[in-house]
Amino acid sequence: MYQYNALDRQLINERVAQFRDQVRRWKAGELSDEEFRPLRLQNGLYIQRHAPMFRIAVPYGMLNAEQLRKMAHLARTYDRGYGHFTTRHNLQLNWPKIEDVPEMLAELATVDLHAIQTSGNCLRNITTDQFAGVAADEIIDPRPLAEIMRQWTTFHPEFAFLPRKFKIAISGTEEDRAVTWFHDIGLHLKQVDGQVGFTVIVGGGLGRTPIRGQIIRDFLPWQDILSYCEAVLRVYNRYGRRDNAYKARIKILVQALGIEAFREQVEAEWAHGKNGPMTITQAEYDRVAAHFAAPAYETLSAAELPQEKAFLRWVDRNTHAHKVPGYAAVTLSLKKHGIAPGDITAEQMEIVADLADRYSFGELRISHEQNIILADVKQADLYAVWQKASAAGLATPNIGLLTGMICCPGGDFCDLANAKSIPIATAIQARFDDLDYLFDIGEIDLNISGCMNACGHHHVGHIGVLGVDKNDAEFYQVTLGGRQGYEAKLGKVIGPSFSAEEMPDVVEKIIKVYLANRHEDERFIDTFDRIGLDPFKNLVYEGRAHGKAKSAAQENA
Amino acid sequence: MMAQLIKNGSLTVDTWNSLEIAEGESPETLSLPEGDLLFPLAVWLARKNEIIARYPRIGLLLQPADRVEDVAADLHYFQVIAVNFPKFVDGRGYSTAALLRQRYQFAGELRAVGDVLHDQLFFMRRVGFDAYALKDGKSVEAALASGFATFSQPYQGATDQPLPAFRRNA
């Protein structure tokens, strides 16, 4: 993975000094709360429900063992001994003291970590595929370009005070595991006539106004990606709405102008920057790409695996095909039943760091599904990894299954949330704790968000759950049919919302409809596409008055 | 009262005044006082000829939504262009400055005015500002001591240093 050089290290050390001084001036009254706010946000520091919340960047999801040990140390020393991995490859700590954050940043800097631009109305952490560089289905490794883009976004002077946050995702596979259709800019690497470039998607996003992005350029040579993104950002910075935070994302501007007019503006802007100094050189690409060269793989053949049911189940769900024979990518599940999805203790972080050192070249990745990946495990070592991960509670075989759900921190931690999400997740996990049943249900994405900001990506879950507030009570709206990937689309709302207590029943009924209707080996999402929303709606709302019937009943009461 | 002006790395005496369009006045009819004035874009566009004839030195005051393109052909008239930041979190002025310097080669004084704070100075200098009217009550000494040198060298190109690190250090 990328190793910092003197310049990279100098910049994050200068950032620590800058933030230390900002905190000092804020405490001394030289900076008002309002003036300090965007400064602390651009350092990942929120003021939250219980305490500040501090968000550490994991650029495009890559970490080494030493960095994870440092995170464990911070969680133990400055927090309550655990952290939470988010859908944007960040680690959140929920209880630090503001006064400690400069020291925490200084500690992070010793292992080349930081919290730069993990929040605020600026260019955010760039995300990609957790299997980048090792996936059997990869076309181009997105990591060198993700790193080049990370550097370009860091302290960009023109785009530090944008109308709203700005998120970029890069995918190097046809399948697309980076939700690129739902980012401010989504990039698909591809090869056409021997030339590498990007399909550029713009104006996608989830949140209050979920919109699938549109292709603004079918093919952009890779060398032009920085100058082209500068053009997009400049148009957005100048013309994006600033009167209403809910309408300030680039997707609203793209919708207002229409993709054709937006494209014309970007192209006119780009004409000035094209072929300029921001054009990436082959030398720079080669320099950065050398950091992502393949590790010292051995020549192996496929290993014989012990025929133990629990282990094979885990292999089936929690390992992923590797491009090198004899290796596999392992997903350590942070979705153990009864634990908030994405949460990890300091002790578990240290165990994972040891596993990475021993079995995966000292590296690991964070997925947007809030799990940790050991990308380069020998198949012959899988059994040992499974045993150790099981002992640490990190081997729940539920990746891609109902209980391997994405879930935001919700109302238990987050100030923005309208409703709790973790108790919903744990109640559903408790209902579906029979592994045989879970395996029989098969692949299904359940995504839960505690508010319409959609940190839990509920819109793209096969089953999506959204917490809503109605007259100061918490309710849950259900969507079906959403999906990520190349064919990504938004789910459809099935009808009126439910109380928290109803949710496990609702999910169980949805599963029942699927099981009753599925063809052999048909996934939930395929059955849904075949039979449509109505059968689900009918069973879920059976015997329950809603819509006109409910209004009539209320009038008669 | 004009805020404290930092220029060329020190505090300077400022002779320019912003011309305000008061309620009930229009750009076409307001009276133009003597002295060095920063004219709002609307006044400049409405009374360009009169201003050129009357004033030996001319300044322009741009608001966040003002389009640089509208004065691209007039830039040689201005000694000073002031870009107003009514709120420091409104970042449009950064693109305005970048365009003035990079695209239209404006070579006069480019001044950030309004809600101009210590922690934005590094970015402002990078996009091309060379004068700063700090918000009232903010320490000029502190700004001069540390506001401009936050980072020793940037990654990406901008007005002050068009070459990104990968070209400078190649």
Side-chain angles (χ1 to χ4, degrees):
Chain A
M1 71 186 253
Y2 185 70
Q3 301 297 315
Y4 272 21
N5 63 21
L7 166 60
D8 301 312
R9 215 155 265 151
Q10 176 178 300
L11 275 167
I12 61 166
N13 285 327
E14 286 168 345
R15 174 58 145 198
V16 175
Q18 179 194 36
F19 192 62
R20 206 186 281 285
D21 186 55
Q22 285 166 343
V23 171
R24 182 193 63 74
R25 286 187 283 128
W26 172 65
K27 299 283 276 186
E30 293 166 34
L31 272 172
S32 69
D33 287 349
E34 187 200 5
E35 290 163 356
F36 183 52
R37 186 171 182 275
L39 305 177
R40 64 171 166 76
L41 287 176
Q42 294 205 10
N43 268 298
L45 183 59
Y46 281 78
I47 306 291
Q48 278 286 15
R49 191 163 292 246
H50 301 290
M53 187 271 278
F54 179 52
R55 188 181 281 164
I56 301 164
V58 183
Y60 41 91
M62 297 272 318
L63 276 178
N64 63 38
E66 188 194 7
Q67 292 173 326
L68 189 60
R69 285 195 189 95
K70 180 61 79 178
M71 288 173 164
H73 168 72
L74 291 190
R76 190 177 284 131
T77 311
Y78 300 100
D79 210 286
R80 296 189 178 176
Y82 70 98
H84 172 79
F85 282 111
T86 76
T87 50
R88 290 207 63 73
H89 306 171
N90 299 300
L91 181 79
Q92 290 180 183
L93 297 176
N94 277 306
W95 320 85
K97 291 197 191 74
I98 294 179
E99 294 74 11
D100 286 338
V101 171
E103 206 46 42
M104 294 167 82
L105 288 171
E107 290 216 37
L108 288 171
T110 64
V111 293
D112 304 341
L113 283 177
H114 59 77
I116 295 164
Q117 291 164 212
T118 51
S119 182
N121 294 331
C122 56
L123 287 156
R124 297 288 192 87
N125 191 22
I126 289 167
T127 56
T128 183
D129 177 358
Q130 68 268 27
F131 301 120
V134 302
D137 63 341
E138 187 163 87
I139 305 163
I140 311 279
D141 184 351
R143 294 172 302 167
L145 287 157
E147 170 58 27
I148 289 168
M149 294 191 78
R150 178 195 73 82
Q151 299 188 12
W152 162 73
T153 62
T154 301
F155 311 139
H156 197 299
E158 191 177 334
F159 307 127
F161 294 95
L162 293 169
R164 280 288 274 140
K165 57 189 168 184
F166 201 92
K167 299 177 176 177
I168 300 173
I170 310 178
S171 165
T173 66
E174 190 77 38
E175 184 190 333
D176 179 15
R177 287 179 289 266
V179 207
T180 52
W181 289 103
F182 292 101
H183 276 75
D184 296 296
I185 293 178
L187 301 170
H188 289 172
L189 273 162
K190 64 178 179 183
Q191 201 155 11
V192 177
D193 301 330
Q195 219 205 341
V196 173
F198 294 100
T199 295
V200 183
I201 298 159
V202 70
L206 297 173
R208 188 173 294 255
T209 314
I211 294 173
R212 192 181 199 259
Q214 297 176 79
I215 293 176
I216 184 168
R217 252 197 172 249
D218 193 49
F219 188 84
L220 181 78
W222 64 269
Q223 295 92 334
D224 295 323
I225 192 63
L226 300 182
S227 62
Y228 192 81
C229 284
E230 294 227 356
V232 173
L233 262 301
R234 187 173 278 172
V235 171
Y236 170 56
N237 191 37
R238 298 185 74 196
Y239 302 116
R241 283 181 64 171
R242 290 174 183 267
D243 58 322
N244 179 342
Y246 298 126
K247 297 185 188 294
R249 296 289 287 270
I250 194 173
K251 61 190 170 188
I252 304 293
L253 177 64
V254 173
Q255 293 289 307
L257 292 172
I259 188 69
E260 297 301 331
F262 184 75
R263 180 185 293 125
E264 276 171 34
Q265 288 204 28
V266 169
E267 291 287 331
E269 184 60 46
W270 187 46
H272 298 278
K274 188 179 179 177
N275 299 327
M278 290 309 289
T279 308
I280 304 169
T281 59
Q282 186 68 45
E284 175 65 358
Y285 181 84
D286 292 344
R287 177 185 80 83
V288 175
H291 291 275
F292 299 98
Y297 292 121
E298 294 170 35
T299 306
L300 303 169
S301 45
E304 284 276 320
L305 300 178
Q307 296 299 299
E308 188 178 327
K309 187 178 174 192
F311 169 64
L312 291 177
R313 226 173 211 167
W314 176 79
V315 170
D316 182 35
R317 291 317 323 173
N318 295 31
T319 67
H320 195 266
H322 200 288
K323 67 179 182 186
V324 179
Y327 286 85
V330 167
T331 300
L332 299 170
S333 172
L334 299 184
K335 310 297 173 70
K336 188 182 163 163
H337 296 191
I339 304 284
D343 273 14
I344 181 168
T345 66
E347 291 71 26
Q348 286 175 320
M349 289 186 218
E350 283 160 352
I351 290 164
V352 172
D354 291 346
L355 287 175
D357 271 340
R358 175 126 185 228
Y359 298 107
S360 196
F361 300 101
E363 291 181 0
L364 33 98
R365 292 99 179 284
I366 311 305
S367 70
H368 82 268
E369 286 100 349
Q370 307 168 286
N371 294 306
I372 302 184
I373 285 82
L374 301 171
D376 298 297
V377 179
K378 285 183 208 167
Q379 290 173 6
D381 288 334
L382 286 174
Y383 192 77
V385 170
W386 172 69
Q387 284 183 313
K388 289 172 183 173
S390 295
L394 296 166
T396 312
N398 60 355
I399 304 306
L401 300 182
L402 188 64
T403 62
M405 58 187 74
I406 291 177
C407 179
C408 76
D412 290 300
F413 295 100
C414 179
D415 257 356
L416 301 172
N418 291 321
K420 291 189 176 65
S421 51
I422 293 169
I424 302 301
T426 46
I428 294 170
Q429 283 171 335
R431 178 68 62 94
F432 291 90
D433 67 348
D434 178 343
L435 276 178
D436 287 323
Y437 186 42
L438 208 55
F439 266 68
D440 181 44
I441 296 166
E443 267 180 53
I444 188 162
D445 290 345
L446 169 61
N447 294 1
I448 306 175
S449 299
C451 77
M452 59 180 92
N453 291 302
C455 292
H457 293 182
H458 63 277
H459 298 107
V460 292
H462 300 164
I463 302 176
V465 177
L466 165 66
V468 292
D469 177 87
K470 283 201 301 193
N471 307 321
D472 289 333
E474 295 182 359
F475 285 88
Y476 297 86
Q477 190 182 69
V478 174
T479 52
L480 292 180
R483 69 206 68 184
Q484 29 175 342
Y486 189 73
E487 302 292 334
K489 68 176 180 189
L490 299 165
K492 290 180 187 154
V493 177
I494 65 168
S497 53
F498 306 95
S499 69
E501 297 72 42
E502 290 175 290
M503 281 313 297
D505 283 341
V506 168
V507 173
E508 189 156 26
K509 284 178 184 167
I510 290 167
I511 298 301
K512 262 188 189 155
V513 174
Y514 158 60
L515 295 178
N517 286 278
R518 71 174 167 187
H519 293 163
E520 203 182 343
D521 292 334
E522 195 178 40
R523 296 179 309 159
F524 174 86
I525 194 69
D526 300 321
T527 303
F528 173 84
D529 284 346
R530 187 168 51 77
I531 68 175
L533 197 65
D534 285 341
F536 295 95
K537 201 168 165 171
N538 291 343
L539 185 65
V540 168
Y541 292 103
E542 192 180 50
R544 185 178 144 136
H546 62 275
K548 280 181 186 165
K550 190 176 178 182
S551 314
Q554 280 168 346
E555 271 171 36
N556 295 335
Chain B
M1 187 192 92
M2 194 73 210
Q4 314 172 84
L5 190 75
I6 294 173
K7 201 184 170 189
N8 299 327
S10 60
L11 188 60
T12 64
V13 178
D14 185 32
T15 58
W16 294 84
N17 286 298
S18 296
L19 181 65
E20 313 261 338
I21 306 175
E23 214 175 280
E25 286 179 340
S26 76
E28 290 75 16
T29 58
L30 93 168
S31 67
L32 302 180
E34 296 304 312
D36 287 343
L37 292 178
L38 299 167
F39 294 98
L41 179 66
V43 176
W44 168 257
L45 292 177
R47 298 167 73 175
K48 196 186 293 191
N49 293 337
E50 183 188 349
I51 292 168
I52 294 166
R54 238 183 91 181
Y55 292 87
R57 284 151 50 90
I58 303 168
L60 180 71
L61 177 64
L62 293 177
Q63 298 299 331
D66 288 345
R67 285 167 45 88
V68 190
E69 290 83 348
D70 294 341
V71 282
D74 298 340
L75 297 180
H76 58 282
Y77 290 113
F78 307 123
Q79 266 76 39
V80 176
I81 297 180
V83 177
N84 188 31
F85 290 81
K87 285 187 277 190
F88 71 95
V89 289
D90 186 334
R92 286 176 286 184
Y94 295 90
S95 287
T96 301
L99 285 169
L100 280 168
R101 293 296 199 206
Q102 293 168 28
R103 183 155 313 159
Y104 300 110
Q105 277 83 48
F106 176 66
E109 178 185 314
L110 186 55
R111 174 186 294 195
V113 304
D115 205 4
V116 178
L117 303 173
H118 181 116
D119 301 279
Q120 279 75 51
L121 295 174
F122 176 80
F123 288 154
M124 286 176 167
R125 184 179 61 78
R126 288 221 65 209
V127 293
F129 288 107
D130 59 357
Y132 314 85
L134 273 194
K135 184 182 181 181
D136 283 345
K138 295 296 175 185
S139 165
V140 173
E141 294 72 26
L144 286 169
S146 63
F148 295 98
T150 314
F151 301 106
S152 44
Q153 60 161 323
Y155 281 125
Q156 62 295 95
T159 305
D160 63 333
Q161 171 50 273
L163 298 184
F166 66 76
R167 287 185 190 271
R168 291 196 313 273
N169 303 333

